[in-house]
Amino acid sequence: MSDERTKAIIGDVVEALRGVLRKHEVTFAEYRAGFMHMAKTQEAGELPMLIDVFLNSTVVEIENATRTGSKAAIQGPYFVPDAPFVEGQLAIRDQDMDLPKMLMRGRVTDQSGAPVAGAVIDLWHSTPEGTYSGIPRHGDLDKKYYRGKIKTDADGKYECISILPVPYQIPNKGPTGMLLETYMGWHSWRPAHIHYWIHADGKRDLISQAYFEGGDYVDDDCCEGVGNEFIVPEAYENGMRLMEVDFVLDEASSPKPARVAEPAE
Ligand code: MBD
Ligand code: FE
């Protein structure tokens, strides 16, 4: 049994790629070099990352057209589903204890402004060397570090301390870096960022990111992932960089992108 949506999308992907081959009069050697590069990227475990660099922001753009609360941001390749619940602070490696800290806090509400209590927020960010915990090729750092789940209180508020993230270079020693830097002359940096994934009963899930106003690469993200929301102005509290981010959740029943919401006739 064929699936109509898959059939339609893959059919169009193939047509679009054929258009590129014709436009550039791609040779057999180039065509082979292209797919061998994809194979190498997969072998290096970088295929999800490479695809996210180029295309995740477009999927987010489609989704955001139907959101009236906070806009979503790209998820990126390094979410780990079963991160531990934490209380007020993400686990910090011993070697990082003296680094500058940040205080992430804010409030989760619905569109009427009512607090969303008991929302689960997954938080994750990279180490200062630009690796993520719990990712096999990132040096086997235990997934308890720099990621965790927290819950909003009765007033919808959340609070969590961690070290201050720094600008992040996506792994650039492998085939993805080769493609971006050597072949395309781009750079492979993202601004310092925090990832959020918020789940709450009856609400539409929200995947988001926050950035640091004035930080390097905020205006020049290699993943084109920085929207206007959640570029947080510089402020400090108790010596920690304050990342105050309030989220407004859409209802789970809110309209989804039309083609997903309405089954094809
Ligand atoms: C990341 O950490 C990230 O957030 C994205 C979007 C892509 C690659 C690495
Ligand atoms: Fe990231």
Side-chain angles (χ1 to χ4, degrees):
M1 198 189 73
S2 77
D3 168 71
E4 288 306 314
R5 187 168 164 80
T6 305
K7 190 171 153 186
I9 292 171
I10 300 299
D12 282 353
V13 167
V14 171
E15 250 339 287
L17 288 175
R18 284 178 176 154
V20 172
L21 299 180
R22 289 190 193 105
K23 176 177 169 190
H24 297 280
E25 299 180 317
V26 167
T27 66
F28 184 69
E30 288 169 335
Y31 155 78
R32 178 178 282 285
F35 71 65
M36 286 314 288
H37 196 88
M38 288 298 127
K40 249 193 263 168
T41 306
Q42 166 62 14
E43 235 169 77
E46 292 186 353
L47 197 55
M49 181 177 75
L50 180 62
I51 293 175
D52 279 354
V53 168
F54 290 123
L55 300 175
N56 196 341
S57 62
T58 303
V59 177
V60 166
E61 171 196 309
I62 296 162
E63 165 165 356
N64 278 342
T66 63
R67 277 186 186 272
T68 48
S70 298
K71 298 298 185 200
I74 59 181
Q75 180 184 329
Y78 301 130
F79 172 68
V80 170
D82 49 354
F85 271 95
V86 298
E87 286 289 335
Q89 181 166 334
L90 300 185
I92 296 173
R93 295 181 302 189
D94 288 345
Q95 72 204 78
D96 296 338
M97 283 300 175
D98 295 333
L99 293 176
K101 304 273 190 311
M102 69 170 166
L103 171 60
M104 296 167 277
R105 80 163 175 223
R107 195 156 175 255
V108 181
T109 60
D110 68 14
Q111 285 168 290
S112 72
V116 178
V120 174
I121 308 179
D122 262 286
L123 295 168
W124 70 106
H125 67 81
S126 76
T127 65
E129 331 65 91
T131 58
Y132 279 84
S133 68
I135 304 296
R137 288 174 208 250
H138 282 202
D140 279 330
L141 180 61
D142 191 293
K143 72 178 175 209
K144 74 179 184 191
Y145 293 109
Y146 310 130
R147 64 172 83 236
K149 293 181 200 292
I150 57 174
K151 261 192 187 174
T152 57
D153 68 12
D155 200 26
K157 291 185 172 151
Y158 70 90
E159 206 170 278
C160 190
I161 291 169
S162 190
I163 57 167
L164 186 63
V166 295
Y168 169 82
Q169 190 166 35
I170 66 171
N172 73 331
K173 301 287 175 254
T176 303
M178 178 77 95
L179 180 63
L180 292 186
E181 295 180 3
T182 308
Y183 297 148
M184 298 183 68
W186 294 7
H187 68 73
S188 51
W189 289 89
R190 300 209 65 221
H193 60 280
I194 307 158
H195 294 271
Y196 306 79
W197 188 338
I198 307 174
H199 320 256
D201 287 346
K203 303 290 181 268
R204 193 165 163 186
D205 266 28
L206 179 67
I207 296 173
S208 186
Q209 290 191 30
Y211 305 95
F212 300 80
E213 188 176 81
D216 289 343
Y217 305 105
V218 170
D219 299 319
D220 186 22
D221 177 7
C222 72
C223 295
E224 298 170 59
V226 183
N228 289 326
E229 275 186 290
F230 309 144
I231 301 175
V232 182
E234 193 167 348
Y236 293 86
E237 192 171 294
N238 298 328
M240 295 180 285
R241 170 68 155 96
L242 188 58
M243 284 303 273
E244 185 127 27
V245 179
D246 295 336
F247 297 100
V248 179
L249 300 184
D250 284 45
E251 297 304 310
S253 55
S254 68
K256 302 296 181 302
R259 286 168 220 223
V260 178
E262 293 157 24
E265 313 253 323

